[in-house]
């Protein structure tokens, strides 16, 4: 991505004391089937006391980093949002990871000018990546603005 170019996505990763998981979370974004030139990764470390900063720094020029004193997830996301450059901002907790087609699927959804937000169901996997039973409710594939205004849907996990 050239200097000053605006990427399609900024993936904003929140981290606090997840030295074992933050690397795989970052790598899951780097491994997307979406053009890397259209993706920026911003990691906000919220005052971790473990070796998270060493893991994050190992990605060198592949991620932008913000290190702050511990202020909690909400403040970290606020600080991260203020530093994003992407057209679309995606959230990722450092102990989670993205499916390899996540950004491509989101990009397709956002081709519809009526789409202003998107969220997918969270899948559960074991330590080897094997998919476990989801336990997700039987919600519809898409929600409309009316669903939100009528309080029929609430955002869940990041």
């Amino acid at each position: 991505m050239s200097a000053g170019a605006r990427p399609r996505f900024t993936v904003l990763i929140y981290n606090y004391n997840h030295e074992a998981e933050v690397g795989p979370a970052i790598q899951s974004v780097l491994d997307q089937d979406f053009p890397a030139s259209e993706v920026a990764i911003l990691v906000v470390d919220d005052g971790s006391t473990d070796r998270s900063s060493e893991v994050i720094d190992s990605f060198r020029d592949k991620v932008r980093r913000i290190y702050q004193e511990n202020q909690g997830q909400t403040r970290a996301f606020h600080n991260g949002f203020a530093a994003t450059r992407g057209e679309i901002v995606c959230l990722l907790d450092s102990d989670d990871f993205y499916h390899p087609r996540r950004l491509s699927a989101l990009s397709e959804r956002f081709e519809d000018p009526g789409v202003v937000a998107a969220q997918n169901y969270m899948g559960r996997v074991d330590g080897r990546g094997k998919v476990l039973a989801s336990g997700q409710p039987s919600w519809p594939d898409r929600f409309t603005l009316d669903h939100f205004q009528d309080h029929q849907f609430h955002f869940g996990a990041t």
Side-chain angles (χ1 to χ4, degrees):
M1 181 171 34
S2 63
R6 185 174 181 188
R8 176 86 165 146
F9 292 102
T10 294
V11 177
L12 176 54
I13 300 175
Y14 167 76
N15 182 68
Y16 179 72
N17 285 343
H18 283 287
E19 71 179 82
E21 295 91 359
V22 68
I26 294 169
Q27 193 62 52
S28 77
V29 179
L30 294 171
D31 291 344
Q32 291 293 297
D33 70 347
F34 196 78
S37 62
E38 292 295 316
V39 180
I41 302 171
L42 175 61
V43 181
V44 179
D45 185 83
D46 191 31
S48 291
T49 58
D50 63 4
R51 296 181 54 241
S52 290
S53 63
E54 293 174 40
V55 175
I56 296 164
D57 287 345
S58 74
F59 286 89
R60 292 177 180 69
D61 61 343
K62 295 178 182 172
V63 302
R64 289 177 45 225
R65 301 168 294 282
I66 295 175
Y67 293 106
Q68 65 180 35
E69 291 182 17
N70 183 260
Q71 301 172 51
Q73 184 180 43
T74 301
R75 178 55 49 203
F77 276 141
H78 280 268
N79 292 339
F81 269 104
T84 62
R85 298 187 305 244
E87 176 186 347
I88 300 166
V89 178
C90 300
L91 305 178
L92 177 60
D93 288 337
S94 60
D95 61 344
D96 295 330
F97 60 91
Y98 279 171
H99 183 279
R101 226 186 96 59
R102 174 159 172 69
L103 297 182
S104 291
L106 280 174
S107 186
E108 291 168 10
R109 293 283 180 149
F110 280 103
E111 292 302 320
D112 178 343
V115 173
V116 297
Q119 182 173 347
N120 60 286
Y121 298 121
M122 182 175 64
R124 293 180 23 195
V125 297
D126 66 16
R128 294 180 305 274
K130 180 182 175 203
V131 176
L132 303 172
S134 77
Q136 295 293 340
S138 57
W139 289 340
D141 183 46
R142 290 178 176 242
F143 289 89
T144 66
L145 182 58
D146 289 336
H147 288 107
F148 290 98
Q149 290 174 331
D150 293 341
H151 304 285
Q152 297 175 32
F153 178 74
H154 302 280
F155 282 107
T158 53

